Amino acid sequence: KNVCADHDFLARFDRPASSSLFDGLSTAYEHLHRPMDHPLANALETHAIPEPLSRTPSVRAMTADIGERRSAPNAPSPEHGEAGVGAGVKSGEWEMQRWLPVLGMFFIMICTVGLQYTFGIMLVAFTSALPSSSLSTLVSVGSVSMGVMEISAVFSGIVISRLGEGKTCILGAGLAGLGLLLSSFSSEAWHLVLSYGLLMGVGHSLSLFSGVVMLNKIFVQRRSLAAGIGTSGGGIGTLLFGAFIPRLLEELGLFWTLRILALIVSAGNIMGGILMTTPVFLAHDPSMSKHHSTHG
């Protein structure tokens, strides 16, 4: 009996040890080469969502959301090709409101680039009012003002990202007006370098690049036209300032001319900032109203 029990126990090990391993590998091989009939596998092969999968709640909700976005009033239309018309805003009203920042950019260019390009007229007045100052120092006033306006573009971009275009433009208007006002009390050339050159240059940079950022944000297809109309204010401003600054200098003198210019530059840039602050399309476009609710 004991011999028979030992025989049965040993009989369990009569099969080769590798037979079970071979059977497992064979089964795995068959599964790997079996045709895939899962819905997701069919979707990968046909690039289409199968019917059972399309009835799942998540896919159905996603499809409905895409349909709503396509049919929403603020979706971009092929006719406009721009940021889209906000809910409740008619197409004509949208077009009119979208061009208001272009008018604002026009005023900004008049009061910034237009005044910068007429520094030659101011230089003659500076040399007459401050005869003890060296000509090279007085000439550097205009270079500092123009250079600071351009170099401060990085600083202006940081401020715009925090305050928004409208508030940054108004801030620049205040700094530029303050620089011109302080220039009217200058008695040395280095006073002009700090006030007319540095302070006014920073103010002009804040206002100028606020308009540049705004136009690039709201225009796509007509961006070149909008930029051309807006920047043409620089040429108009050069003609206007070049025409009446000599008369102001002749009638009122340098220092009162600088004070009047401070008022004109501040008013023009503030007007540009107001025209860029929350137009109708920004108030109704969810993506852009979110930006302006956060940054101004």
Side-chain angles (χ1 to χ4, degrees):
K1 183 176 181 180
N2 294 334
V3 173
C4 293
D6 294 338
H7 177 74
D8 295 336
F9 176 78
L10 295 174
R12 301 177 186 177
F13 301 94
D14 288 344
R15 293 179 299 174
S18 61
S19 61
S20 58
L21 178 62
F22 179 78
D23 294 338
L25 292 175
S26 300
T27 304
Y29 182 82
E30 293 177 0
H31 280 285
L32 288 175
H33 289 78
R34 180 180 300 174
M36 300 179 69
D37 54 357
H38 194 274
L40 289 177
N42 296 332
L44 293 175
E45 294 181 358
T46 60
H47 301 284
I49 300 177
E51 185 65 22
L53 187 62
S54 63
R55 289 196 296 266
T56 59
S58 59
V59 176
R60 186 168 60 250
M62 186 185 303
T63 306
D65 180 67
I66 294 174
E68 292 177 359
R69 289 176 181 268
R70 290 180 177 177
S71 60
N74 62 344
S77 60
E79 179 181 358
H80 296 93
E82 306 292 349
V85 182
V89 182
K90 297 180 180 180
S91 178
E93 187 178 5
W94 154 257
E95 288 293 333
M96 180 186 68
Q97 294 291 331
R98 190 177 56 176
W99 287 93
L100 287 179
V102 179
L103 181 60
M105 182 64 177
F106 185 81
F107 285 129
I108 292 170
M109 291 293 295
I110 289 177
C111 298
T112 56
V113 176
L115 182 60
Q116 292 283 357
Y117 286 168
T118 56
F119 177 74
I121 301 174
M122 302 301 299
L123 178 61
V124 176
F126 287 153
T127 55
S128 300
L130 303 173
S132 60
S133 301
S134 63
L135 181 61
S136 60
T137 305
L138 292 174
V139 169
S140 67
V141 173
S143 301
V144 170
S145 182
M146 179 66 77
V148 168
M149 185 182 71
E150 299 292 343
I151 295 174
S152 299
V154 177
F155 168 74
S156 300
I158 296 173
V159 177
I160 291 170
S161 65
R162 294 181 178 273
L163 300 181
E165 292 82 3
K167 292 182 179 179
T168 303
C169 182
I170 295 174
L171 175 62
L175 292 179
L178 180 61
L180 286 168
L181 182 62
L182 293 177
S183 299
S184 66
F185 300 99
S186 300
S187 59
E188 299 289 340
W190 66 270
H191 297 166
L192 291 174
V193 173
L194 294 179
S195 57
Y196 194 100
L198 182 62
L199 189 56
M200 190 184 75
V202 173
H204 281 177
S205 179
L206 292 172
S207 298
L208 176 62
F209 290 102
S210 296
V212 172
V213 171
M214 176 60 84
L215 294 190
N216 281 285
K217 179 183 295 184
I218 64 176
F219 283 94
V220 178
Q221 291 183 349
R222 301 179 183 178
R223 183 177 298 166
S224 300
L225 176 62
I229 295 174
T231 55
S232 66
I236 300 297
T238 302
L239 294 176
L240 292 177
F241 283 122
F244 77 83
I245 284 180
R247 293 189 177 184
L248 290 177
L249 291 172
E250 183 179 354
E251 296 292 334
L252 302 176
L254 173 63
F255 299 115
W256 273 106
T257 299
L258 289 171
R259 293 163 190 168
I260 294 175
L261 289 176
L263 180 62
I264 294 174
V265 168
S266 298
N269 286 336
I270 289 174
M271 179 63 67
I274 292 174
L275 291 173
M276 289 189 297
T277 304
T278 317
V280 168
F281 62 89
L282 294 180
H284 292 275
D285 192 327
S287 61
M288 301 190 72
S289 62
K290 179 180 179 181
H291 169 81
H292 276 260
S293 64
T294 304
H295 303 297

